[in-house]
Amino acid sequence: MPAKFGPAGNSESFSALGYKHTSDVPEYLRKMGLDAFEYQCGRGVHIGLEKAAEFGRLMREHGLAVSLHAPYYISMSSLEAEKRDHSIDYILQSAAAVNAMGGDRIVVHTGSCGKIPREEALALASDTMRRALLALDEAGLGQVHICPETMGKVNQLGTLDEVLSLCEIDERLIPCIDFGHLNARTMGSLKTYADFEAVFDAIENRLGIDRLRAYHAHFSKIEYTTGGEKRHLTFADTVFGPQFEPVLELTAKKNCAPTIICESAGTQAEDAATMKAYYWQLAEGKEIK
């Protein structure tokens, strides 16, 4: 299976080309030469199951994969038990929606560290994750993969090590590696091929080759400060990184088949298409210009 590429939500060109409705997304993606889409529920799961199923049907007709970004306000590490319980409810809502769409991946922000030690925050998030998995099983949604995401701000739970620790809880958990976030929270540490290779090696060493090959990813260039992520940019930016080429070179080298979702600011479909073109040059052994 080859890697799949798509945008997080719609680029500015979606409306510029005259598209208006969610039902237009599959045609737009095909026009852009893409094969995946991440449905955005950052501000809540507001799509009904009937509409989700219809969207999924249209996506399948066009041979497109779909994942879903769960609400941003999920806090699996909150000191308040009620917030952790609500987080499980939001995960269930997200899983039900993506399942109706025919997808099987939800991307989740696990929370912040606040004023507690990182180890304590991770312990709370781990307990919430275990309970979320049980809740998915009880709801008949155990086939949906939760993808905890690496985060961009220093005070957020979501270093590479923390995400891999969460994924070690259950083999169904797939890491969402946001390379822009990792680069932002480490003040631009992803520069060389070896820097990126260390990320791939860590995933393989901790989770095994199968989950490495199935990894989920977000990619964009991100401006950062001493606190980490400030804002998403486009591939036209020449100041901040990271560069996408090493990610795709390692993806091809290690025979990975990830879903790579572009989160550029307004040009996410166009930049996803740029990544896909580069990947296929590698996969087909063509000379890179």
Side-chain angles (χ1 to χ4, degrees):
M1 294 285 290
K4 297 182 179 69
F5 296 84
N10 293 320
S11 289
E12 294 170 359
S13 59
F14 180 80
S15 57
L17 289 170
Y19 295 113
K20 298 179 180 179
H21 306 292
T22 301
S23 58
D24 296 327
V25 167
E27 181 182 325
Y28 169 74
L29 293 174
R30 276 301 179 201
K31 183 185 290 287
M32 300 300 292
L34 299 170
D35 35 38
F37 183 76
E38 193 150 285
Y39 194 93
Q40 301 298 290
C41 289
R43 293 174 176 81
V45 183
H46 301 304
I47 185 171
L49 295 184
E50 187 174 329
K51 287 187 176 180
E54 175 61 17
F55 178 65
R57 183 186 67 79
L58 293 172
M59 292 289 281
R60 287 191 297 277
E61 285 181 357
H62 287 77
L64 301 164
V66 61
S67 54
L68 183 146
H69 200 304
Y72 299 137
Y73 43 76
I74 286 174
S75 181
M76 303 177 84
S77 61
S78 174
L79 285 172
E80 299 177 41
E82 185 177 13
K83 287 186 177 180
R84 298 198 301 275
D85 291 342
H86 284 324
S87 293
I88 294 173
D89 291 337
Y90 302 141
I91 287 171
L92 284 171
Q93 293 169 21
S94 301
V98 82
N99 183 65
M101 293 175 184
D104 65 358
R105 294 184 177 194
I106 59 171
V107 175
V108 173
H109 295 180
T110 51
S112 67
C113 297
K115 297 180 181 179
I116 62 176
R118 303 195 73 89
E119 295 79 7
E120 185 177 342
L122 181 59
L124 287 168
S126 297
D127 176 71
T128 307
M129 183 68 79
R130 291 186 180 92
R131 292 193 295 120
L133 289 167
L134 287 173
L136 288 177
D137 288 337
E138 291 171 358
L141 294 166
Q143 74 279 10
V144 175
H145 300 281
I146 300 174
C147 304
E149 182 180 356
T150 57
M151 298 305 297
K153 290 185 170 63
V154 173
N155 67 348
Q156 290 174 313
L157 191 69
T159 64
L160 178 61
D161 181 70
E162 288 162 350
V163 164
L164 296 181
S165 292
L166 287 169
C167 287
E168 286 174 332
I169 291 171
D170 192 285
E171 290 188 354
R172 290 174 290 176
L173 297 169
I174 295 173
C176 176
I177 307 301
D178 189 314
F179 291 94
H181 281 167
L182 285 181
N183 190 61
R185 75 177 299 138
T186 58
M187 308 297 115
S189 69
L190 294 180
K191 294 183 175 69
T192 68
Y193 181 90
D195 295 332
F196 289 92
E197 188 171 35
V199 174
F200 279 72
D201 288 346
I203 300 169
E204 182 175 359
N205 292 338
R206 295 279 293 276
L207 304 181
I209 188 64
D210 289 342
R211 273 194 282 178
L212 169 64
R213 286 178 173 160
Y215 78 90
H216 199 84
H218 286 172
F219 198 97
S220 62
K221 293 185 176 184
I222 294 178
E223 181 181 351
Y224 54 85
T225 65
T226 54
E229 174 187 9
K230 181 179 180 181
R231 66 187 176 111
H232 285 234
L233 305 168
T234 73
F235 281 10
D237 180 78
T238 58
V239 178
F240 294 91
Q243 301 300 315
F244 65 83
E245 289 89 348
V247 173
L248 303 184
E249 289 162 11
L250 284 156
T251 294
K253 176 183 177 181
K254 293 179 176 290
N255 296 315
C256 296
T259 297
I260 299 180
I261 299 297
C262 186
E263 292 191 321
S264 291
T267 59
Q268 55 268 49
E270 289 80 0
D271 291 349
T274 296
M275 287 193 289
K276 182 178 178 179
Y278 187 83
Y279 166 79
W280 277 105
Q281 282 184 283
L282 294 169
E284 294 173 353
K286 295 179 180 177
E287 183 179 352
I288 303 297
K289 296 181 180 179

